Amino acid sequence: VLAEHLSIPSLFFLQQIPCGLDFEATQCPNPPSYVPRLFTDLTDHMNFLQRVKNLIFDIPNYFLCDSVFQPYAKLASEFLQRDVALLDLFRQASIWLIKLDFVLHYPRPLMPNMIFVSGVNCANK
C-alpha cells in the first residue's frame, strides 16, 4: 500500500499468500485438476475422483477469502483515497522473491519477475 501511495516499485518477499492470491496476481496457471490443494493429501498423480475432491476443496476459497481480506482492502482504500482491491495491489509488484523450493512443493510455472530465494534464512555451517 505504501509503495502504491508513493508511486515506487513494490517488492514482495513471501512464501505463499493464503487463498492463492499469489497465483492470481502473477497470472500463473493453478488448475485444481493438476495442482493438489492444501490439506487434501493428494499428489500430482490423481484419478478423476481425486481431481473432483481437489476441486471441492478449492471452492470455499472463493467465499472465505473475500470475507477474510475485506477489512484489509477497506483499510487500503481509505489510505489511498480510492477504491482498491488487494489483488490490484499485488498485481503492481515489480519483483516477487519467493521462498519456495521444488523439493518441498510441486513445480509450477513462473513469470519473469519471480525469483526463487529458498534457503535465504538458513545459517551457514
Side-chain angles (χ1 to χ4, degrees):
V1 174
L2 187 59
E4 179 72 19
H5 179 69
L6 297 174
S7 298
I8 59 174
S10 59
L11 173 121
F12 291 115
F13 180 69
L14 54 96
Q15 184 165 357
Q16 283 180 317
I17 299 175
C19 305
L21 287 179
D22 52 346
F23 286 105
E24 290 183 44
T26 58
Q27 298 179 352
C28 286
N30 190 23
S33 59
Y34 294 103
V35 180
R37 298 303 184 230
L38 196 62
F39 304 122
T40 58
D41 294 329
L42 298 173
T43 66
D44 56 343
H45 300 287
M46 297 180 271
N47 60 29
F48 178 74
L49 291 177
Q50 290 171 330
R51 292 175 199 271
V52 171
K53 175 185 175 183
N54 201 38
L55 178 66
I56 290 172
F57 267 75
D58 198 38
I59 291 173
N61 281 343
Y62 295 109
F63 303 109
L64 294 175
C65 293
D66 286 339
S67 62
V68 168
F69 289 120
Q70 187 62 32
Y72 302 108
K74 183 179 177 186
L75 180 66
S77 296
E78 289 175 5
F79 181 75
L80 295 173
Q81 300 294 321
R82 62 183 168 86
D83 192 29
V84 67
L86 287 180
L87 195 55
D88 296 332
L89 293 175
F90 288 134
R91 285 185 180 137
Q92 301 295 327
S94 297
I95 294 180
W96 291 75
L97 299 176
I98 302 189
K99 297 181 347 181
L100 291 180
D101 193 359
F102 287 152
V103 174
L104 301 173
H105 299 88
Y106 291 104
R108 68 179 212 179
L110 298 175
M111 295 299 155
N113 64 342
M114 299 173 80
I115 302 167
F116 279 115
V117 290
S118 61
V120 76
N121 297 15
C122 298
N124 290 335
K125 292 188 178 182

